[in-house]
Amino acid sequence: MPQGVKSDLTDAEKYEKHLKRCIENKKNRRLNDPEFVKKEREYNKQYHARLREAGIKARLEKKMQDEQK
C-alpha cells in the first residue's frame, strides 16, 4: 500500500488477510514445487523430533524432581 494511503481495515483484519495470502502461497508452492514439499517434510520431521526430545527431557526432569522430594 502506498505511503500516506489510509486503510480502513483493523489490525486483526490486516493480519487475517496476511494469513490467507500465506496459506494460499504455501498451497500453490506445494502443488507446483516438489523441492519445496521435500524441504517442508524434512523440516516437519526435525521439528517433531525436537518436540519429542523436549518432552522426554521434561518427563525425566520431573521424575528426578519427584524422587528428590
Side-chain angles (χ1 to χ4, degrees), residues 11-68:
D11 285 344
E13 290 169 330
K14 288 179 188 175
Y15 186 63
E16 191 175 330
K17 260 179 93 171
H18 167 75
L19 286 179
K20 284 181 182 176
R21 274 196 313 272
C22 288
I23 291 169
E24 194 63 33
N25 181 31
K26 203 169 203 180
K27 196 183 331 178
N28 289 338
R29 286 187 72 184
R30 276 194 198 111
L31 290 173
N32 300 322
D33 188 359
E35 192 61 34
F36 176 76
V37 174
K38 288 178 191 172
K39 288 179 184 175
E40 188 180 39
R41 278 196 191 123
E42 186 59 34
Y43 172 80
N44 287 339
K45 284 180 189 173
Q46 292 173 1
Y47 174 76
H48 288 290
R50 286 194 303 268
L51 282 181
R52 275 193 303 277
E53 288 173 14
I56 291 168
K57 186 176 177 185
R59 284 194 294 277
L60 285 174
E61 288 174 0
K62 186 177 184 330
K63 188 176 181 182
M64 290 180 70
Q65 285 176 352
D66 289 346
E67 288 175 359
Q68 288 176 356

